[in-house]
Amino acid sequence: MSSRRYESFVKINCSAIPAELIESELFGYESGSFTGAKKSGKPGKFEQANGGTLFLDEICSLPLLTQAKILRALQEREIDRVGGLRSIPVDIRVIAATNQNLSEMVKRGRFRSDLYYRLNVITINIPPLRERKDDIPLLVNELISRLNSQIGTAITGVTSRALSILVQHDWPGNVRELQNIIERAMNEAKGPILEEQHFKLFSEQINAKAKSQIVVNEKKRTLKSI
């Protein structure tokens, strides 16, 4: 519904870029600004997203110095390329994501408080998958559809028994873990439907974990409780 929906959507995983390169990735650089730089220079993610949206994934991984420069870019609506002599105006919407508690990182001095409050306009908390198991059937259907095109399969669905196995799990790895399990089952399946047998290894792991938990609980029992 945004007015920016037809403009660029640029994303960057901040944890995947080395600290010494993150500034040039975000803000770009001019010709000859460092060894190995392109002669023509290069626009950064801020310039590429101009008029649209910039998605900063794992923003908690940014160095404090880079955080300060991002804050300036958001406040002044302009950026400076590495080695540049002039500021470049930008008009972007920033979406930032993290799996860390940024307010706690602010208290520990690992994230700038001014940038935190500048970013924290609208907060969307995504609960872990174990707290929204009603989403699992919808996610399974979406993952099957997506993986069919990626790995060349033609799976059309999953049985209720197989789905019940997936719902029982706590999913510490969240949706990524669910995707891995679905992909493994799709590679093993011979027909169009994922059945209980295709999740045999996964269900065995769940059962083993449950049994180990029972053993731990048994060890904690006292004579009086027996």
Side-chain angles (χ1 to χ4, degrees), residues 52 141 211 225:
N141 289 334
K211 289 179 180 178
S225 66

Side-chain angles (χ1 to χ4, degrees), residues 111-129:
F111 198 87
R112 291 182 63 105
S113 60
D114 45 9
L115 178 58
Y116 171 72
Y117 291 117
R118 183 65 185 83
L119 289 170
N120 195 22
V121 177
I122 299 175
T123 301
I124 302 175
N125 292 314
I126 303 177
L129 192 53

Side-chain angles (χ1 to χ4, degrees), residues 215-226:
V215 171
V216 170
N217 291 336
E218 287 287 343
K219 288 180 179 179
K220 291 182 179 178
R221 294 174 66 188
T222 63
L223 182 61
K224 185 178 290 186
S225 66
I226 297 173

Side-chain angles (χ1 to χ4, degrees), residues 2-3 7-8 12-13 48 112 117 130 141 186 223:
S2 169
S3 60
E7 303 299 333
S8 299
I12 180 171
N13 187 331
Q48 294 172 31
R112 291 182 63 105
Y117 291 117
R130 65 179 177 273
N141 289 334
M186 290 174 67
L223 182 61

Side-chain angles (χ1 to χ4, degrees), residues 9-10 12 53-57 59 93-97 119 124:
F9 184 90
V10 178
I12 180 171
T53 302
L54 175 63
F55 177 42
L56 300 174
D57 197 10
I59 194 172
R93 171 176 291 158
V94 171
I95 301 174
L119 289 170
I124 302 175

Side-chain angles (χ1 to χ4, degrees), residues 139-148 175 178-179 182:
L139 288 168
V140 168
N141 289 334
E142 170 62 24
L143 289 170
I144 287 175
S145 176
R146 187 184 305 175
L147 289 167
N148 273 331
V175 178
L178 177 61
Q179 178 174 332
I182 295 297

Side-chain angles (χ1 to χ4, degrees), residues 6-70:
Y6 298 119
E7 303 299 333
S8 299
F9 184 90
V10 178
K11 51 192 175 180
I12 180 171
N13 187 331
C14 300
S15 65
I17 309 297
E20 61 272 16
L21 298 178
I22 189 68
E23 186 177 345
S24 61
E25 282 291 322
L26 288 171
F27 305 114
Y29 59 83
E30 295 292 353
S31 173
S33 54
F34 55 86
T35 302
K38 293 182 178 180
K39 291 183 178 180
S40 58
K42 180 184 176 182
K45 300 299 184 184
F46 272 81
E47 286 182 75
Q48 294 172 31
N50 194 23
T53 302
L54 175 63
F55 177 42
L56 300 174
D57 197 10
E58 300 294 352
I59 194 172
C60 58
S61 302
L62 287 175
L64 289 172
L65 180 59
T66 306
Q67 292 178 28
K69 294 184 177 182
I70 288 180

